[in-house]
Amino acid sequence: MSEYSVLGKKLPRVDGLEKVTGAAQYGADIHRAGMLYGKLVRSKHPHAKILSIDTSEAEKLPGVRAIVTQNDVESGRRVFATDKVLYLGEPIAAVAATDPDIAEEAAELVRIDYEVLPVVQDVMQSIQPTAPRLHSDDTKDGPTRRTIKAQLKKLQDDESQDHSAEIAELNAQLGILEDELYYNISAETHSAIGDVEAGFAESDLVVEDTYVIPRVHQTYMEPHVSVADVDSIGKITVWASTQGPFAIRSGIAGTLGIPLNRINVIPTTMGGGFGGRFGVALTHVPAVLLSQKTGRPVKLQMTREEEFLDGRPAPGCVIKLKTGVTADGRILVRQALGFWDSGSVSGASIGSTIRVRGVYKIPNLKVDAYGVYTNKSGTAAYRAPGTPQVAFAGESQLDEIARQLGIDPVEFRLKNLREEGDLIPGGGQRGGSNEPKVGYKETLQAVADAVDWKNRTKGPNQGWGVAIGDWTNGCGPGGMYVSVHEDGSVRIFHGSMDITGTDTALAQIVAEILTVPYEQVTITRGDTDSAPYATGSGGSVVTFTMGNTAKLAAEDTCQRILELAAERLNTGLENLELKDGKVSVLAQDSPRSISLGELAAYSLSTTGGPIVGKGSFARQPSTPALAAQIAKIEVDPEAGRIKVLKMVSSQDVGFAINPMAVEGQIEGGTVQGYAWATMEEMQYDENGNVNPGFVDYRVPTSADLPTVESVIVEVEAPNGPFGAKGVGEPPIIPTLAAMANAVADAVGVRVTELPMKPERVLDALSRK
Amino acid sequence: MSEYSVLGKKLPRVDGLEKVTGAAQYGADIHRAGMLYGKLVRSKHPHAKILSIDTSEAEKLPGVRAIVTQNDVESGRRVFATDKVLYLGEPIAAVAATDPDIAEEAAELVRIDYEVLPVVQDVMQSIQPTAPRLHSDDTKDGPTRRTIKAQLKKLQDDESQDHSAEIAELNAQLGILEDELYYNISAETHSAIGDVEAGFAESDLVVEDTYVIPRVHQTYMEPHVSVADVDSIGKITVWASTQGPFAIRSGIAGTLGIPLNRINVIPTTMGGGFGGRFGVALTHVPAVLLSQKTGRPVKLQMTREEEFLDGRPAPGCVIKLKTGVTADGRILVRQALGFWDSGSVSGASIGSTIRVRGVYKIPNLKVDAYGVYTNKSGTAAYRAPGTPQVAFAGESQLDEIARQLGIDPVEFRLKNLREEGDLIPGGGQRGGSNEPKVGYKETLQAVADAVDWKNRTKGPNQGWGVAIGDWTNGCGPGGMYVSVHEDGSVRIFHGSMDITGTDTALAQIVAEILTVPYEQVTITRGDTDSAPYATGSGGSVVTFTMGNTAKLAAEDTCQRILELAAERLNTGLENLELKDGKVSVLAQDSPRSISLGELAAYSLSTTGGPIVGKGSFARQPSTPALAAQIAKIEVDPEAGRIKVLKMVSSQDVGFAINPMAVEGQIEGGTVQGYAWATMEEMQYDENGNVNPGFVDYRVPTSADLPTVESVIVEVEAPNGPFGAKGVGEPPIIPTLAAMANAVADAVGVRVTELPMKPERVLDALSRK
């Protein structure tokens, strides 16, 4: 896109220098005068009744300033366990002391008497009638059935009117629910498009598999940390490492029953988030409670072990998947039944199960998914939440079908891709259903071309795997201000967090529109008391939303600049042009112009005042973002180790505002997918213990990493700023399946349970 | 003004609670991890050559981390004395150490060798040929004459052209300068309107006096303090107690040669300012230099003694004043010659000497004023800079003239007041020259009516004094944002400092326009990295400028609110009304309405995004603000003490947005004027020592204070927000003269030198 001066360029990150020199302030760097140190008192059992909590001995320890339990939560909202603990490490109380060691010692001195209960860690065991029940033992229905049944009972009991029509409708709703009923269900979702029975009946080939994906941790480098400071009039200030300061504000407000304007959240630089840094439960609310009780600032920081025990990782799941195709390779039908490991609380990414539809035309689709309680911590988002798991199942099975049909896996996919105007099955759930132009074919073709797919070769124990996945580019509200200083420098002020380099993209957009050098633009992040509302940085939302916001703010600034110049140069707006950081009078014998700095200085003495532009934006339909990958690997048949020989990752990004940043995201996402495919898993034992650190929980080191070749595809997104889409999440989606497909191609054995660690690969080889 | 719901009401200050509970964060409350403590190394002599500076011993003291001198100032701009010191306490170096005691000890260990020079402290001595010269000893011309003479020389030397016309003009300019030439002149100003010679010739009575007004300190409660933190990429953050964060930013940028966007100034709550808190020299720049050198945060806080030695107080002055009138009491002519004590640097409020014109029609006026160097610290603004001094001279002499003419002093003033359409002599200098309606008469009449002036009575040694003064309401640039939260609360975000309760006025303006309760509005101050540019809080500028800015921002917010409501309620803007915090559809059978909170929540899912309004404003002509006062006092002829029996202060405020805040300003200004009139003065001895604390420098206590009755006059100001004017400065202006006039009325002796402390009153009585 040569028409741009700043956009589309590989410019260095605006925050690069402060990060590499250590100037960036992370949560651990925050220090307040008189600050206390907090420590959570955690459950020693994965499942137990709490018989008593005795804090008296801990309170006597010199240096202890406060201990809070659920009794200190006036709103009554659950912050700490009271009657029962559901996982090892669940918070029961919190201690504040004058130094971290005293706080830790005091936490150990809080005496809790337990009555130990039986434990369930596996989702497929947990749904059985014999499993210990975590939350309720009086029904085997899931929450949706319970709700419908309660409504039915109410209508049946009411004899004053004839409810037969409503009763029939509710019974029909019950009917579409899975016949088999499960225990320990935390949440459920059901959807059906077309007629799956008919679809399977028409199919020439039906393949059915069960895929098992482990729980993995986001493994952000910075553990959760808060500094809370509640002042003498009750105003709460929280320094928080978070992806969404405004979400933290609402979360604290909601949990503690405090109005929004009594809380200020100051976001610190984030040491990684990946979706795991939105909640208030882990450290923010306990720190606030301790500060409220002591009247002093309190820092509460989790250790790496606490992160593994009480973080909110990505859910593992079991997906039973059945697909029917014609002999010539058209997908007719797909049915999925998913069981997602919610841990102790409701949720997990069950809604993502619908993504078994992939990027394909599938006329008949039925998806049933359940969240299942287990004795683990709850879960949260992790880069394209739920979708790498679902794509692993969906794209592995398609590969298997292509193999059984004898069709090239790229050809097979191309044949079934959705096209312009196709409906996305169940698309109403996320994003629009009627698609504009999306680069499905371009993205898949690009990665195939990059490896010269048709002419690929392989040696012994080597194989090629391909996979493709889509993601719905999120969209949320945001506001932004742009101002021009007297020295011509430009400042952006906003409140959204930068995880992936979005600040750099925003600076590029503003520099482009104001026609100033990129280096002349600085960007400042406000806290929730100062910045205009901004959506949380998740769902690949920031470039799309805040990019549009930046465009509007910069355009508003331009308008003010031109009006000022018209006033100053005594001419009409139509005679003026903003170019190269100055406004010039067009079509004149003696050219006149004025720089932005001169205009900014001049503005200070005009009625209109300083040059400030405002942008505000919330929603426009967005288009799916796509990633396709091809891996070439070699399996060591003796050691079971997988070596990546080639990894190419293509992505439709709409328009690459900063290709270097885009490549960084593609590489990062692909590497995380690679790690999930081959080494990462949280391993819980029957006592609730997990592999609690980077010795036992393997993440790739530089030595492990494949070189990722990035291929940027640009199919302009209609509502994106300059055609851009969000880029953060898609590249992790296809990798799990691409790796498994490559292994199957290499050794002729399909691994359906991740990670493909050496012992599992050897085990699969032995089953061959 | 009953049409308003929130404006014109005596509402509590928005910052009241945080100030009384101690939640407000002052400079001294700022603490940063790893912070060092700074101390300035100060001159031990009031006038001396510096022969050598030896920091070696100080550097050896354990805990000392850095010592900076002028050698560390890369820009070369003067921060520390090098060759010569000009006053006792002048900074020569600065030390940073791990605790304040070590820093103080180290400062004492810096060895400086001096060659002591003769000292001059009195302005009338300093202008003499015999006086020691502070800055230059090669000319007796002031800077204006020197400039003109240099131009003359250049023209005369240039033989290539005929410059006779230009030479004649420059000689004419020299001619209007005072004939007598003075030494140690730091600055000068000269203006002439009409023909003073002719004026005096026409006069029936000419009175000539010399008035002497002492240097006084602003005596803000909080001494100057900075915390500077320069990070590893050189970004400077300064926590500063200041009236103008943007002025501090430019000041640091200018002094150290650093771009504006490399400096962030975070303003802390101010413990008083009164004009004395704008400069960067006292603590901000030295703290930055120490932080640059150590890489650690540095706090630098002045003691009270340092405040008196090295603060920037209000200048004292000597004003020779000569006025001619007709026998029937018309002022024909006035001539002033002012000598202002600049201390060691150029400046002082010499430009205010023109204010001898008062609020009167004076056809012939000549004013010559000089800044004079002395061996004291420099000076700065103090509430209506220079004007209480000048009004003391002008209004004292008018009173004397009225007495000599036998005309009632109120009648005499009323007779000579300017009226609508009158030019302000020399008014071009500040504000417009062609006046709209100004409440001169209303203000003077109001205070006279309040005491029933015509029927006033007095006992022995009692007297009544009246005086009136005007002030030019300042105007500067400012920007502001207003946003509405999902819970209906409203936030104002801006960057101007609140000295006098201006935040409260801004909240009232926004609440009024958005039709929400005052309590629903919160106000947040940003730092210079986040807030839009705002003018410094001086010159009674904030209510006028930021009030207009707030009005514009609130109106912009309203527009967005109405557009949103039109979209949400599916109707046209013309059918909608914003009232009581909700938008209603007018003229409808079934009334529909939507609250601001609902609209804010709705806005987050619209294309237009969050509700944010923007205001930006800089200049509109403002009208003079006026204060008139009448004091009734009693002199104790034995002790020389003056007791105030009655003190009434009227003020034309345009429109009182918050009458309680306005009364607070009137009371505060009057009390400061009373203190200057009767007790405050900085007393320097020949060694440069000054009375350095509140034991020796008398400020009034509660027991000293007169009860001030406030009379609010509201003559609407054309461009003020809702007709309001700035109110902070005027009430200090007339008090000095009103007190002196009351003393003259009581005991028949006019005191022309302030303060009227007991010994001076007794001395005057003895001269009777």
Side-chain angles (χ1 to χ4, degrees):
Chain A
M1 296 252 187
S2 61
E3 77 221 71
Y4 298 124
S5 313
V6 187
L7 295 174
K9 301 280 180 288
K10 291 190 170 187
L11 293 166
R13 285 177 71 130
V14 289
D15 55 349
L17 202 55
E18 67 182 57
K19 281 191 170 154
V20 298
T21 61
Q25 292 280 303
Y26 293 86
D29 299 320
I30 303 302
H31 183 88
R32 304 283 295 166
M35 194 171 78
L36 302 175
Y37 297 83
K39 188 78 185 172
L40 287 162
V41 179
R42 298 184 178 280
S43 164
K44 304 282 190 195
H45 299 281
H47 198 189
K49 280 190 185 157
I50 296 175
L51 303 177
S52 67
I53 303 171
D54 178 3
T55 60
S56 57
E57 205 179 333
E59 277 160 6
K60 284 183 208 144
L61 188 70
V64 170
R65 289 288 175 271
I67 300 177
V68 292
T69 64
Q70 186 64 25
N71 292 337
D72 294 282
V73 185
E74 285 179 24
S75 69
R77 292 278 295 270
R78 183 189 170 97
V79 175
F80 299 107
T82 47
D83 298 341
K84 204 175 166 188
V85 289
L86 296 171
Y87 62 97
L88 186 76
E90 184 169 9
I92 300 169
V95 176
T98 49
D99 84 37
D101 294 335
I102 296 174
E104 193 173 342
E105 190 180 342
E108 287 296 322
L109 289 174
V110 173
R111 188 157 43 197
I112 297 153
D113 288 333
Y114 300 95
E115 178 190 323
V116 172
L117 296 171
V119 172
V120 61
Q121 299 290 33
D122 179 88
V123 286
M124 299 317 285
Q125 284 173 15
S126 185
I127 59 175
Q128 302 301 326
T130 50
R133 231 49 60 73
L134 273 73
H135 283 278
S136 145
D137 44 12
D138 59 351
T139 169
K140 57 180 187 171
D141 287 331
T144 308
R145 288 183 68 96
R146 283 205 297 273
T147 305
I148 295 176
K149 284 186 171 174
Q151 283 176 290
L152 269 175
K153 184 167 189 324
K154 205 171 155 193
L155 293 174
Q156 284 157 346
D157 289 353
D158 178 15
E159 292 173 2
S160 68
Q161 271 182 277
D162 176 18
H163 292 294
S164 55
E166 291 149 280
I167 288 168
E169 195 186 321
L170 287 175
N171 274 318
Q173 282 179 34
L174 270 185
I176 72 158
L177 298 179
E178 193 52 22
D179 282 336
E180 202 178 340
L181 297 179
Y182 308 106
Y183 291 86
N184 276 323
I185 296 303
S186 74
E188 56 187 308
T189 175
H190 308 275
S191 42
I193 292 126
D195 182 340
V196 286
E197 301 295 329
F200 285 118
E202 275 178 55
S203 296
D204 299 314
L205 172 67
V206 174
V207 175
E208 193 166 1
D209 300 283
T210 297
Y211 298 90
V212 181
I213 302 102
R215 172 180 277 224
V216 298
H217 197 280
Q218 298 92 346
T219 60
Y220 30 75
M221 290 305 295
E222 184 194 24
H224 275 84
V225 55
S226 309
V227 176
D229 194 353
V230 182
D231 73 15
S232 55
I233 57 172
K235 174 78 185 262
I236 296 169
T237 302
V238 178
W239 286 258
S241 174
T242 175
Q243 296 177 239
F246 289 88
I248 299 304
R249 184 178 65 167
S250 342
I252 295 171
T255 307
L256 300 180
I258 292 164
L260 294 176
N261 63 10
R262 309 291 296 149
I263 303 164
N264 187 28
V265 177
I266 304 177
T268 53
T269 305
M270 233 187 307
F274 306 107
R277 228 178 259 285
F278 275 109
V280 296
L282 299 188
T283 56
H284 304 324
V285 166
V288 169
L289 289 168
L290 288 169
S291 183
Q292 281 179 325
K293 193 155 183 175
T294 58
R296 285 171 64 173
V298 176
K299 179 185 274 188
L300 183 53
Q301 185 164 11
M302 280 165 68
T303 62
R304 185 63 62 187
E305 180 174 358
E306 286 178 296
E307 274 291 348
F308 275 94
L309 276 177
D310 192 28
R312 297 290 179 268
C317 60
V318 174
I319 298 174
K320 293 169 182 286
L321 189 64
K322 184 175 168 187
T323 305
V325 294
T326 61
D328 64 346
R330 273 189 307 116
I331 306 172
L332 287 185
V333 58
R334 182 162 254 191
Q335 183 168 7
L337 174 60
F339 296 99
W340 295 79
D341 184 350
S342 306
S344 66
V345 293
S346 180
S349 309
I350 64 168
S352 295
T353 319
I354 188 72
R355 289 187 179 276
V356 290
R357 71 194 172 208
V359 293
Y360 309 105
K361 287 186 268 214
I362 304 180
N364 305 294
L365 185 68
K366 187 168 190 310
V367 174
D368 299 282
Y370 297 88
V372 180
Y373 290 122
T374 58
N375 290 119
K376 300 171 188 156
S377 70
T379 64
Y382 173 42
R383 208 167 189 158
T387 306
Q389 298 97 310
V390 173
F392 169 65
E395 289 287 293
S396 288
Q397 195 170 65
L398 283 195
D399 222 61
E400 183 58 27
I401 290 169
R403 194 191 61 77
Q404 292 191 25
L405 290 177
I407 306 180
D408 176 89
V410 169
E411 285 307 312
F412 176 56
R413 284 174 172 82
L414 283 171
K415 188 181 190 113
N416 285 284
L417 285 181
R418 284 197 294 272
E419 287 164 37
E420 207 165 339
D422 280 347
L423 289 176
I424 301 180
Q429 201 180 13
R430 298 187 75 136
S433 61
N434 224 327
E435 292 191 33
K437 175 72 177 162
V438 178
Y440 295 115
K441 192 178 164 196
E442 291 80 351
T443 306
L444 184 53
Q445 198 64 60
V447 72
D449 291 349
V451 300
D452 194 8
W453 178 257
K454 292 218 163 115
N455 303 309
R456 68 193 183 280
T457 56
K458 59 175 185 176
N461 297 313
Q462 293 183 350
W464 292 82
V466 62
I468 179 168
D470 69 331
W471 181 246
T472 313
N473 192 148
C475 189
M480 188 178 294
Y481 309 125
V482 169
S483 50
V484 181
H485 297 158
E486 312 91 277
D487 59 2
S489 62
V490 173
R491 190 181 58 212
I492 299 171
F493 181 63
H494 72 126
S496 81
M497 297 306 295
D498 181 3
I499 317 186
T500 56
T502 46
D503 274 357
T504 303
L506 300 178
Q508 285 182 266
I509 288 172
V510 171
E512 182 73 42
I513 295 174
L514 296 186
T515 74
V516 299
Y518 168 70
E519 297 71 22
Q520 216 161 304
V521 179
T522 54
I523 190 158
T524 300
R525 196 177 327 290
D527 50 36
T528 60
D529 259 4
S530 63
Y533 191 96
T535 190
S537 295
S540 299
V541 71
V542 183
T543 300
F544 189 88
T545 288
M546 299 307 285
N548 272 313
T549 310
K551 193 160 169 279
L552 291 168
E555 284 164 357
D556 189 40
T557 311
C558 276
Q559 184 61 25
R560 169 84 180 120
I561 286 167
L562 290 171
E563 282 166 7
L564 263 177
E567 182 184 329
R568 184 64 166 167
L569 300 174
N570 202 16
T571 183
L573 281 179
E574 67 283 4
N575 302 325
L576 293 174
E577 183 191 35
L578 172 59
K579 202 179 162 185
D580 300 333
K582 54 180 191 280
V583 180
S584 303
V585 184
L586 295 169
Q588 251 209 171
D589 294 340
S590 56
R592 284 181 300 157
S593 68
I594 185 163
S595 72
L596 290 192
E598 289 166 331
L599 279 170
Y602 170 66
S603 75
L604 301 183
S605 62
T606 62
T607 304
I611 302 176
V612 285
K614 177 188 87 179
S616 180
F617 178 86
R619 275 188 211 282
Q620 291 263 340
S622 63
T623 36
L626 303 163
Q629 289 166 6
I630 290 176
K632 182 183 184 184
I633 61 102
E634 182 174 329
V635 176
D636 177 340
E638 306 294 318
R641 289 183 59 188
I642 301 165
K643 184 177 174 190
V644 176
L645 303 175
K646 193 171 193 63
M647 175 65 85
V648 184
S649 199
S650 71
Q651 186 167 340
D652 176 9
V653 301
F655 166 57
I657 292 174
N658 188 324
M660 184 162 67
V662 167
E663 286 168 9
Q665 287 304 304
I666 293 176
E667 291 169 16
T670 307
V671 162
Q672 287 186 314
Y674 158 80
W676 202 343
T678 59
M679 58 181 76
E680 287 191 44
E681 66 178 322
M682 295 180 76
Q683 299 166 322
Y684 290 84
D685 69 16
E686 66 279 11
N687 298 319
N689 288 309
V690 68
N691 41 346
F694 291 137
V695 172
D696 299 309
Y697 182 98
R698 276 272 284 140
V699 290
T701 65
S702 303
D704 295 303
L705 288 183
T707 298
V708 178
E709 294 170 43
S710 303
V711 181
I712 294 175
V713 178
E714 294 179 314
V715 177
E716 195 181 336
N719 297 317
F722 302 93
K725 298 176 179 184
V727 299
E729 287 162 302
I732 196 179
I733 296 172
T735 327
L736 286 59
M739 289 293 296
N741 294 343
V743 169
D745 187 47
V747 298
V749 182
R750 182 157 294 280
V751 182
T752 56
E753 183 171 358
L754 296 181
M756 295 183 291
K757 50 190 174 183
E759 55 268 42
R760 187 164 284 147
V761 171
L762 290 178
D763 184 54
L765 287 173
S766 73
R767 279 188 282 111
K768 186 159 83 171
Chain B
M1 294 258 190
S2 60
E3 78 221 69
Y4 297 125
S5 311
V6 186
L7 295 173
K9 302 280 180 290
K10 292 190 170 186
L11 293 166
R13 284 177 71 131
V14 289
D15 55 350
L17 202 56
E18 67 183 55
K19 281 193 169 151
V20 298
T21 60
Q25 292 280 302
Y26 293 86
D29 299 320
I30 303 301
H31 184 87
R32 304 283 295 164
M35 193 171 78
L36 301 174
Y37 297 83
K39 188 78 186 174
L40 288 162
V41 179
R42 298 183 178 282
S43 163
K44 305 280 191 197
H45 299 280
H47 199 189
K49 280 191 185 156
I50 296 174
L51 302 178
S52 67
I53 302 171
D54 178 2
T55 61
S56 57
E57 204 178 335
E59 277 160 6
K60 284 181 208 144
L61 189 68
V64 170
R65 289 288 175 273
I67 301 177
V68 293
T69 65
Q70 186 64 26
N71 291 337
D72 296 281
V73 184
E74 285 178 25
S75 69
R77 292 279 295 270
R78 183 188 168 98
V79 175
F80 300 106
T82 48
D83 298 341
K84 204 176 165 187
V85 289
L86 296 170
Y87 61 97
L88 186 75
E90 185 170 9
I92 299 169
V95 176
T98 49
D99 84 38
D101 294 335
I102 296 173
E104 193 173 342
E105 192 180 341
E108 287 298 322
L109 289 176
V110 174
R111 187 155 46 193
I112 296 152
D113 287 333
Y114 300 96
E115 178 190 323
V116 171
L117 297 170
V119 173
V120 62
Q121 300 289 32
D122 180 87
V123 286
M124 300 315 286
Q125 282 173 17
S126 185
I127 60 176
Q128 301 302 325
T130 51
R133 231 47 61 73
L134 272 73
H135 283 277
S136 145
D137 46 11
D138 59 350
T139 170
K140 59 179 188 171
D141 287 331
T144 308
R145 287 184 68 95
R146 281 204 297 273
T147 305
I148 295 174
K149 284 187 171 176
Q151 285 177 286
L152 270 174
K153 186 167 186 324
K154 205 172 154 190
L155 293 174
Q156 282 156 350
D157 287 354
D158 178 16
E159 290 174 3
S160 68
Q161 271 183 275
D162 177 18
H163 293 293
S164 55
E166 291 150 280
I167 289 169
E169 195 187 320
L170 286 175
N171 274 318
Q173 283 179 30
L174 271 185
I176 72 158
L177 300 178
E178 194 51 23
D179 282 337
E180 201 176 339
L181 298 178
Y182 308 106
Y183 292 86
N184 275 323
I185 296 303
S186 73
E188 56 187 308
T189 176
H190 308 275
S191 42
I193 292 125
D195 182 339
V196 288
E197 300 295 329
F200 285 118
E202 275 179 55
S203 297
D204 299 316
L205 171 67
V206 173
V207 176
E208 193 167 0
D209 301 283
T210 298
Y211 297 91
V212 181
I213 302 100
R215 171 181 276 223
V216 298
H217 198 280
Q218 297 93 345
T219 61
Y220 31 74
M221 289 305 294
E222 182 194 26
H224 276 84
V225 54
S226 308
V227 176
D229 194 352
V230 182
D231 73 16
S232 53
I233 58 172
K235 175 78 186 261
I236 296 170
T237 302
V238 178
W239 286 258
S241 175
T242 175
Q243 296 176 239
F246 290 88
I248 298 304
R249 184 179 65 167
S250 342
I252 295 170
T255 307
L256 300 180
I258 292 166
L260 294 177
N261 61 11
R262 308 292 295 151
I263 303 165
N264 186 28
V265 177
I266 303 177
T268 52
T269 304
M270 233 187 307
F274 307 108
R277 224 178 262 283
F278 276 107
V280 296
L282 299 186
T283 57
H284 304 323
V285 166
V288 169
L289 289 168
L290 288 170
S291 182
Q292 281 179 326
K293 193 155 184 175
T294 57
R296 285 172 63 174
V298 176
K299 179 184 273 188
L300 184 53
Q301 186 162 13
M302 280 166 66
T303 62
R304 185 64 63 187
E305 180 173 359
E306 287 177 296
E307 273 292 346
F308 275 94
L309 275 176
D310 192 26
R312 295 292 180 268
C317 60
V318 174
I319 298 173
K320 294 170 180 286
L321 189 64
K322 185 175 167 189
T323 305
V325 294
T326 61
D328 64 346
R330 272 189 308 114
I331 307 171
L332 287 185
V333 59
R334 182 162 256 190
Q335 182 168 9
L337 175 59
F339 297 99
W340 295 78
D341 184 349
S342 307
S344 66
V345 293
S346 180
S349 310
I350 64 169
S352 296
T353 321
I354 188 71
R355 289 187 179 276
V356 292
R357 71 194 172 208
V359 294
Y360 309 105
K361 288 186 267 217
I362 304 178
N364 306 294
L365 184 68
K366 186 169 190 311
V367 174
D368 299 282
Y370 297 88
V372 180
Y373 290 121
T374 58
N375 291 119
K376 300 170 187 156
S377 69
T379 64
Y382 174 40
R383 208 166 191 158
T387 307
Q389 297 96 311
V390 174
F392 169 65
E395 288 287 293
S396 289
Q397 194 171 65
L398 283 194
D399 221 61
E400 183 58 26
I401 290 169
R403 195 191 60 75
Q404 291 191 28
L405 291 175
I407 306 181
D408 175 88
V410 170
E411 283 307 314
F412 176 57
R413 284 173 171 83
L414 283 171
K415 189 181 190 109
N416 285 284
L417 285 180
R418 284 198 293 274
E419 288 164 38
E420 205 164 342
D422 280 349
L423 289 176
I424 302 179
Q429 200 180 12
R430 297 187 75 136
S433 61
N434 223 329
E435 293 192 32
K437 175 72 176 161
V438 178
Y440 295 115
K441 191 178 164 196
E442 290 81 351
T443 307
L444 184 53
Q445 198 65 59
V447 72
D449 292 348
V451 300
D452 194 8
W453 177 258
K454 292 217 163 116
N455 303 310
R456 69 191 182 281
T457 57
K458 59 174 184 176
N461 296 312
Q462 294 182 350
W464 292 82
V466 63
I468 180 169
D470 70 330
W471 181 247
T472 312
N473 192 149
C475 189
M480 188 178 293
Y481 309 126
V482 169
S483 50
V484 181
H485 297 158
E486 311 91 277
D487 59 2
S489 62
V490 173
R491 189 182 60 214
I492 299 170
F493 181 63
H494 72 126
S496 81
M497 297 305 296
D498 180 3
I499 318 186
T500 57
T502 45
D503 274 357
T504 303
L506 301 178
Q508 286 182 267
I509 289 171
V510 171
E512 182 74 41
I513 294 174
L514 296 187
T515 75
V516 299
Y518 168 69
E519 296 72 21
Q520 215 160 307
V521 179
T522 54
I523 190 157
T524 300
R525 195 177 330 289
D527 51 36
T528 61
D529 259 5
S530 62
Y533 191 96
T535 189
S537 296
S540 298
V541 72
V542 183
T543 299
F544 189 88
T545 288
M546 298 307 286
N548 273 315
T549 310
K551 193 160 169 279
L552 291 168
E555 284 164 357
D556 190 39
T557 311
C558 276
Q559 183 63 24
R560 170 82 181 121
I561 287 168
L562 290 172
E563 282 166 6
L564 263 178
E567 184 184 329
R568 184 64 167 166
L569 300 174
N570 202 17
T571 183
L573 281 179
E574 67 282 5
N575 301 324
L576 293 174
E577 183 191 36
L578 171 60
K579 201 178 160 186
D580 300 335
K582 54 180 191 277
V583 180
S584 305
V585 184
L586 295 168
Q588 250 208 173
D589 295 339
S590 56
R592 282 182 302 158
S593 69
I594 185 164
S595 73
L596 290 193
E598 288 166 331
L599 278 170
Y602 170 66
S603 75
L604 300 183
S605 63
T606 62
T607 304
I611 303 175
V612 285
K614 176 189 88 180
S616 180
F617 177 87
R619 274 187 212 283
Q620 290 262 338
S622 63
T623 35
L626 303 164
Q629 289 166 5
I630 290 176
K632 182 182 184 184
I633 61 100
E634 182 174 329
V635 176
D636 176 340
E638 305 295 319
R641 291 185 57 189
I642 301 166
K643 183 179 174 187
V644 177
L645 304 174
K646 194 171 193 64
M647 175 64 85
V648 184
S649 199
S650 70
Q651 187 167 337
D652 176 9
V653 299
F655 165 58
I657 292 174
N658 187 325
M660 183 162 68
V662 167
E663 286 170 10
Q665 287 304 303
I666 295 177
E667 290 170 16
T670 308
V671 163
Q672 287 187 313
Y674 158 81
W676 203 342
T678 60
M679 57 181 78
E680 286 191 45
E681 65 176 323
M682 295 181 76
Q683 299 166 323
Y684 289 83
D685 69 17
E686 66 280 9
N687 296 320
N689 288 310
V690 67
N691 41 345
F694 291 136
V695 171
D696 299 309
Y697 182 97
R698 277 272 283 141
V699 290
T701 65
S702 302
D704 294 305
L705 288 183
T707 297
V708 178
E709 294 171 43
S710 303
V711 181
I712 294 175
V713 178
E714 293 179 314
V715 177
E716 195 182 336
N719 296 317
F722 302 93
K725 297 176 178 184
V727 299
E729 285 161 304
I732 197 179
I733 296 171
T735 327
L736 286 59
M739 288 293 296
N741 293 344
V743 169
D745 186 48
V747 297
V749 182
R750 181 157 294 279
V751 183
T752 55
E753 183 170 357
L754 295 181
M756 296 183 291
K757 50 190 174 182
E759 56 268 41
R760 188 164 282 144
V761 171
L762 289 177
D763 183 55
L765 287 172
S766 73
R767 279 187 280 110
K768 187 161 83 171

